[in-house]
Amino acid sequence: MSYNFHLLFYLKRPKNFIKGEMMPIYLRITVKGKHSEYSVGREIIPSFWSELKGKGTGLREEIRELNDYLDTLASKVRRFHTTLVEKEDEVTAVVLRDHLTGKNTSNHSLLRVYQKHNDNMEKLIGKGYSYSTFQTYQSSIRHVKQFLQLKYEVQDINIKKVDFKFITDYELFLRIDRGNNAMSARKYIVHLKKIMLYCLGAGWIVGNPFLNYRNTAKAKARTFLNMEELDRIKNREFPLERLNIVRDIFIFSCYTGLSYIDVKQLRPDQITRGDDGNLWIFIKRQKTETPCHIPLLDEAKVILDRYKNHRICRWRKVALPVLTNQRMNGYLKEIADLCTITKVLTYHLARHTFATTITLSNGVPIETVSQMLGHNSLKTTQHYAKVIDTKVSTEMSALQEKLLERNKEEEGDNGDMKVMKLFR
């Protein structure tokens, strides 16, 4: 494919032309012998025009302004031509002309594309996306709407107007006007980036507006319960049945690593014996549909046995009588107060506790923990599971003992050498 092209600015004589009148300026674009032309929207008296240079002649301010305008048009065509070549798209005179006239300009607006994305995501709930993920994207589009109304005083905007400044202003809006923390703002920026990359892939925009954007927000260390705090909750008997039930289900997640939604949907038939003869949980995570195989510890078995005949479990055909997430978290705050736990006790804290206190701190390899948590990436597991100080201390003590033993052996070897020298 030939990518050569030629630009020519020329004057086109209109019908009934009278000498001394202005003539319209046209641009002719030629690619592979085929050309296309259009009026650039400017006029000039022929005596001030150079056919050889395709420009106006003279030092008048109007001539200089006209020539700058023509140079801008030519540069715009060249840049678009380069883009087409880099993308290996077809280069024609009509395509280059339409780029200038705006005929191939995207009429796609940001919120319309965003809404279409969310509509498609809603159809895929349970087939690759969770309802909670869909809700975060619904929150995202609401934030973008509010940003457009506050910053630009418009209801929508063409996707081509989303540039570096738009992104950085949107981040400031999220942090200042919406009061989001750094990681929450980053999440919404990632959502916007996904939408714009889709537009880029569809060919609706030429460049990636996120090319020079960098977000330095870092996740905070995950909170978890240590063993003493976990035992304090586990061994406490509460006067209210609802608190005992919530406590038991929370403890169950602390010893299995299951999220709230996975525990709520857990069925008895998903708990079967594995090849080792022990009971295992075999599920797919609701959020990612990633397979999760978890051997049951005794603490988790006791809780399952306690509720296998519970009326709610029989009615719903589930393993545990899980309440709504809101009620569970509300009751957990009561439990934290009664057990003098100063950490903010939420249901998701159980998952962090399993990753850190129950598994990693007891020598379970992080690869195994990652599989039981149903993560697709080891990097995700590292965010959940930070090795605690007690494990570091234990491992360093073991290292110290090895070093001391090695020093003793070296001292023994040196003593033997001295004895050998005495008997020479």
Side-chain angles (χ1 to χ4, degrees):
M1 180 182 294
S2 172
Y3 296 114
N4 295 330
F5 75 106
H6 178 69
L7 302 179
L8 173 65
F9 291 101
Y10 69 97
L11 302 184
K12 191 170 185 178
R13 184 185 297 270
K15 293 179 180 180
N16 303 320
F17 174 71
I18 299 174
K19 186 176 180 180
E21 289 185 345
M22 288 190 172
M23 292 175 62
I25 303 172
Y26 274 69
L27 171 61
R28 177 180 293 159
I29 305 173
T30 305
V31 178
K32 297 173 62 176
K34 296 181 179 180
H35 64 264
S36 183
E37 59 187 31
Y38 87 106
S39 172
V40 302
R42 297 295 178 92
E43 295 178 328
I44 191 172
I45 297 174
S47 59
F48 291 104
W49 181 260
S50 171
E51 291 186 5
L52 180 64
K53 295 181 179 179
K55 288 185 176 182
T57 59
L59 300 177
R60 295 170 60 183
E61 181 63 28
E62 308 94 274
I63 298 297
R64 288 199 298 269
E65 189 274 332
L66 171 65
N67 289 338
D68 288 343
Y69 174 69
L70 298 180
D71 287 341
T72 299
L73 290 180
S75 297
K76 188 175 181 180
V77 175
R78 292 189 182 97
R79 287 196 301 270
F80 186 60
H81 174 267
T82 300
T83 299
L84 292 175
V85 172
E86 289 175 347
K87 294 172 63 178
E88 298 186 356
D89 287 345
E90 182 181 13
V91 179
T92 68
V94 173
V95 169
L96 295 177
R97 181 203 64 191
D98 287 349
H99 178 68
L100 281 181
T101 60
K103 287 185 179 180
N104 67 343
T105 298
S106 170
N107 291 319
H108 298 281
S109 65
L110 177 59
L111 292 180
R112 286 171 63 187
V113 176
Y114 222 126
Q115 189 60 59
K116 181 64 176 177
H117 167 274
N118 287 11
D119 291 344
N120 290 336
M121 177 178 281
E122 186 175 16
K123 296 174 185 176
L124 293 172
I125 292 175
K127 301 176 182 178
Y129 291 104
S130 66
Y131 182 72
S132 60
T133 300
F134 168 69
Q135 285 183 310
T136 62
Y137 273 90
Q138 289 290 80
S139 296
S140 276
I141 196 171
R142 286 196 296 271
H143 291 330
V144 174
K145 285 179 180 177
Q146 293 168 0
F147 171 66
L148 291 177
Q149 291 168 2
L150 179 67
K151 179 70 176 178
Y152 297 92
E153 297 182 349
V154 296
Q155 298 301 314
D156 206 346
I157 194 171
N158 191 288
I159 57 172
K160 289 196 171 186
K161 293 185 179 180
V162 178
D163 54 12
F164 178 83
K165 187 177 185 304
F166 181 98
I167 298 166
T168 53
D169 286 346
Y170 180 52
E171 182 181 5
L172 283 175
F173 164 80
L174 291 170
R175 295 296 307 278
I176 298 173
D177 295 276
R178 294 300 307 167
N180 293 138
N181 61 38
M183 287 305 298
S184 294
R186 180 182 181 180
K187 175 183 66 177
Y188 294 126
I189 293 291
V190 168
H191 291 176
L192 176 63
K193 183 177 181 179
K194 180 183 178 183
I195 300 300
M196 296 312 298
L197 289 180
Y198 174 81
C199 294
L200 181 65
W204 299 337
I205 56 176
V206 176
N208 178 8
F210 282 85
L211 186 62
N212 297 314
Y213 174 78
R214 296 290 180 273
N215 190 303
T216 57
K218 294 183 179 179
K220 294 181 180 179
R222 303 287 185 176
T223 306
F224 56 89
L225 297 176
N226 58 39
M227 207 65 209
E228 188 275 331
E229 293 168 327
L230 184 60
D231 286 340
R232 205 187 309 166
I233 295 174
K234 184 172 64 174
N235 298 326
R236 177 70 180 264
E237 285 299 321
F238 301 102
L240 300 175
E241 181 187 11
R242 59 178 172 82
L243 294 183
N244 286 314
I245 292 174
V246 171
R247 184 271 318 278
D248 288 344
I249 297 171
F250 176 80
I251 294 297
F252 179 80
S253 279
C254 287
Y255 282 92
T256 60
L258 291 179
S259 65
Y260 164 80
I261 190 64
D262 292 326
V263 173
K264 185 177 182 180
Q265 296 178 350
L266 183 64
R267 304 188 311 272
D269 63 335
Q270 293 174 316
I271 304 167
T272 58
R273 296 199 177 274
D275 295 336
D276 59 358
N278 296 318
L279 287 176
W280 287 59
I281 294 175
F282 294 94
I283 64 167
K284 279 189 177 181
R285 284 203 66 201
Q286 197 269 351
K287 182 177 181 180
T288 61
E289 294 192 345
T290 305
C292 240
H293 302 164
I294 308 166
L296 280 178
L297 298 172
D298 289 341
E299 289 82 354
K301 292 178 187 176
V302 169
I303 293 171
L304 286 174
D305 288 340
R306 186 175 300 160
Y307 293 97
K308 64 182 179 181
N309 292 318
H310 192 280
R311 63 184 186 283
I312 294 178
C313 295
R314 293 201 307 269
W315 175 48
R316 295 179 181 172
K317 297 182 181 179
V318 292
L320 292 169
V322 181
L323 306 177
T324 65
N325 197 21
Q326 185 177 8
R327 291 177 67 189
M328 292 285 287
N329 284 325
Y331 294 153
L332 283 172
K333 287 180 174 58
E334 289 186 48
I335 290 171
D337 291 338
L338 293 171
C339 295
T340 63
I341 302 294
T342 57
K343 295 171 181 174
V344 179
L345 200 59
T346 64
Y347 196 89
H348 204 63
L349 196 69
R351 193 163 163 83
H352 306 329
T353 301
F354 172 78
T356 306
T357 304
I358 301 301
T359 55
L360 280 184
S361 62
N362 287 305
V364 179
I366 193 169
E367 294 82 5
T368 304
V369 177
S370 184
Q371 188 277 327
M372 288 190 290
L373 290 174
H375 289 160
N376 291 319
S377 169
L378 200 62
K379 186 176 180 180
T380 307
T381 313
Q382 291 168 342
H383 287 310
Y384 278 85
K386 303 295 181 184
V387 180
I388 54 180
D389 292 341
T390 54
K391 180 169 172 57
V392 173
S393 175
T394 301
E395 291 177 347
M396 291 304 290
S397 297
L399 173 61
Q400 184 64 55
E401 291 180 6
K402 289 181 181 179
L403 293 175
L404 288 173
E405 187 66 30
R406 182 174 177 274
N407 290 337
K408 289 179 182 180
E409 291 177 357
E410 289 181 352
E411 289 175 1
D413 291 342
N414 291 336
D416 292 341
M417 290 294 293
K418 291 178 181 179
V419 171
M420 290 177 65
K421 288 180 180 179
L422 288 174
F423 284 93
R424 282 184 179 176

